[in-house]
Amino acid sequence: MVNSHADPLPDDAVVSPRGTIVPDVGLQARALSATVVPMGLFESRDGVLSVVWVNEAFERALGYGVDGAQLLEPSVRQELERDPVRASQLAAALAAAQPFTPTFTLGRADGTRFVCEVHLAPVPTDDGSAPVHWVAAFQDMTERLSHDAEQAALVEAERRERRSLGLIAQVSDLLMDVDDPHSLREIAMLLRHGVVAWAGFFLNDRGLRAADGVDAAHLPTGRGHRHGDTRDDARVRRDAPDAVQLLLDGERDRPVEVDLDAAYPDGSASGWLAHHLASEAYRQEGGAVLPQDRRAVVYPVPGRRRVLGLLVVLPRGGGGLRGVEPSTTTVLELTARRVGLVVDNARLYDREHRLAETLQRAMLPQQAEVEGLDVWTYYAPNSENVQVGGDWYDVLQIAPDVVGVVIGDVVGHDVEAAAAMGQLRSVVRSYTFDITTPGPVLERVDQLVTGMRIPRSAGLVLSTLTRHASGWRLEYSRAGHLPVLHVRGGVATELRGAGGALIGFGGNGRSTSTVELAEGDVLVYYTDGLIERRDRGLRDGLAALAGVASRVTARDAAGIGEELLSRLADHPEDDVAVVVVRVPDPRDHLERARSPRRRRWSLPNEPGSIGRARHAVVRTCQAWEIPDAANAELVVSELVANAVLHGYGHVSLQLYDTGDGLRIEVEDGNPAPPVTTDGHPGRVGGFGMQIVERLADWGWRQSRGGKLVWAKVRPGALPPTGRG
């Protein structure tokens, strides 16, 4: 309904059949021309659109009008030819006279690009025939594309950060087992799969060596440049700084670049590294596809006080330092720092272990052999501690017919406890040789300890065994220590007499108890580590010890001790010291076949252990009446030498009397198997396992802590050399 009071109609307006005011064509054209949206009118000719009109907004956006747009039509058609899918969609829309919204990139007059969505729609004809003209609105996509690009960049940055965090987490997991010799190699492989084309670690451990399994010669280390005689190569700069050496010396803390195909002075760290990285072993290592641009990037692996090694990488696209993305740089630097910290901690911990173990071993006596008694001794530190503690024992040949036995425990598992133990051991030994009665000896020890002000409390049992015409007499005194166990005829009795306070607190004097020993009697001295557990109290532990000791079938001190250990000390939670003394029985030789014998030693990983092992085997063969001890001595010497030279951690030596020979077992912390090599004049070593093969049947197996190598020595004399 038309309002009769409305303003009069303009001259260029008409009224539609429904009463709506419709501007004429001129007004519509002016409206399209005035809009701020770039628009144009196209004419369809044989399925090809050609521009016939553009508005002012189009001219402002692109810098040209109809004529310029017509000149650019060939480039638009070429763009469509490069995108046949979009071209076919446009042709279908034109044929069906349907609206279509393609995306085009148009060139502006100033040479920049105008990315836009073109909203095409057909203009209906008066007679309803196929449309000839198409109107187009050009929507600028620059802002939206910039926003999309920013979002994509944010997503990519987040993805890189997540990848970096994931890699660092995996590296941390692998570093939890840095004692595993393959852990650094696995970390390098992780970096190769994640961020670089190739990666490898080189540790600066008494010479630069590869830590990823590739055998490489060692490079001498120390501060200063190592430019030796240079090669006759014009590319070598004699005055050029040795970048890798500067990293090793700590004079640079940022990564450096090493061209694997460049020439370096002989003897330089950079030349050594380039030579070994360019070798065939590294080119083929892991089947990795390395970039043609072989410029390696070297990161220092820092410790607390010095550089422990190098992390060397080859970027995936080459380019050296410039080819490493910032996120990749962060991952590599964090990896190098974490590896350095963990390796430094492991080395520090290992040094502490070696120092403590050396101190402990220096204070403990050798396997005791006393006249007229069968004696077996054992000591093992708790592996969870620093491998040093206050447990000790001593077996003394005071006189031809007098033997002293002492076992004690100083509170603590540190160097101070070991030092206190050493002081007490020296004091007790001195007074025992002067006064053979245990009670008065401990009284003198109380007096001296009070004056010395030893900071740790301690308990001990001191006893003397005196031989007389009818047998042996035991005299003992206890200072706050567990009772000695006396076993006779399958009955175990705790010797609780002559008890007293801890050393240094016996102000009321010390008493001495006496027990007459019979042939076959056994005395078991021990510390609480043998019987006490978190899930088993002291009383229960004493009862368990008495039960096991009463059922022991072995007929020698070593066999008895081994049975006690196997049943009670399978998982000790504290230091364990045990001394077993047995009064020989003339009937023992009749029971020899029924008494399998075993002895064990825990040796430090040092060259001196080789001699100790040989001495232990000779003594054991003599005690067990095994002939041809020289063969066994030679075999154990080679096995222990291999464990010391090529293994790490404790070296465990065990001997078994199998009835038809001697079985030797040597265990160390290196899981790598022993290898028999062919020796020749140019090689140091390589003959050890060949000697073992000639003298024994041998083999090896994995153990929980590394590997165990066994050898069963063949009876008989040394075999001939095979030469005529």
Side-chain angles (χ1 to χ4, degrees), residues 307 485 576 602:
V307 175
L485 197 66
V576 177
S602 182

Side-chain angles (χ1 to χ4, degrees), residues 213-425:
V214 179
D215 188 18
H218 285 204
L219 175 72
T221 57
R223 299 188 64 83
H225 305 298
R226 296 182 191 81
H227 296 308
D229 296 332
T230 59
R231 291 165 287 180
D232 187 14
D233 193 328
R235 297 176 298 166
V236 176
R237 288 186 53 193
R238 302 190 181 190
D239 58 342
D242 189 347
V244 174
Q245 189 61 53
L246 293 178
L247 285 182
L248 292 173
D249 292 341
E251 297 181 16
R252 292 193 60 171
D253 58 358
R254 302 302 302 165
V256 300
E257 187 177 287
V258 174
D259 190 346
L260 305 188
D261 298 318
Y264 297 93
D266 289 341
S268 66
S270 299
W272 181 92
L273 187 63
H275 170 73
H276 287 285
L277 289 179
S279 65
E280 185 67 22
Y282 281 94
R283 287 200 299 269
Q284 301 298 330
E285 209 281 331
V289 179
L290 304 184
Q292 293 182 351
D293 180 2
R294 299 196 303 162
R295 282 181 288 173
V297 181
V298 185
Y299 294 83
V301 177
R304 288 181 176 84
R305 298 182 179 179
R306 66 185 185 93
V307 175
L308 301 179
L310 305 172
L311 169 59
V312 184
V313 302
L314 289 172
R316 285 180 172 170
L321 284 169
R322 295 184 178 180
V324 183
E325 298 179 357
S327 60
T328 300
T329 299
T330 302
V331 171
L332 297 175
E333 289 181 346
L334 284 176
T335 299
R337 290 175 186 172
R338 292 199 176 192
V339 168
L341 180 61
V342 172
V343 170
D344 202 11
N345 285 340
R347 291 181 176 180
L348 178 61
Y349 186 71
D350 183 64
R351 287 195 296 268
E352 290 178 351
H353 273 232
R354 290 177 181 271
L355 174 62
E357 181 187 9
T358 301
L359 176 62
Q360 183 80 48
R361 297 290 171 186
M363 294 179 177
L364 288 176
Q366 298 284 339
Q367 169 80 30
E369 298 289 349
V370 294
E371 199 173 324
L373 292 173
D374 184 9
V375 180
W376 177 86
T377 58
Y378 175 80
Y379 172 80
N382 178 19
S383 59
E384 294 181 0
N385 299 317
V386 194
Q387 300 202 357
V388 66
D391 290 15
W392 91 94
Y393 64 83
D394 226 336
V395 180
L396 312 171
Q397 187 80 56
I398 300 174
D401 293 326
V402 181
V403 176
V405 180
V406 60
I407 192 164
D409 184 2
V410 176
V411 175
H413 298 93
D414 51 20
V415 175
E416 186 177 66
M421 178 266 285
Q423 290 176 300
L424 279 176
R425 177 173 175 244

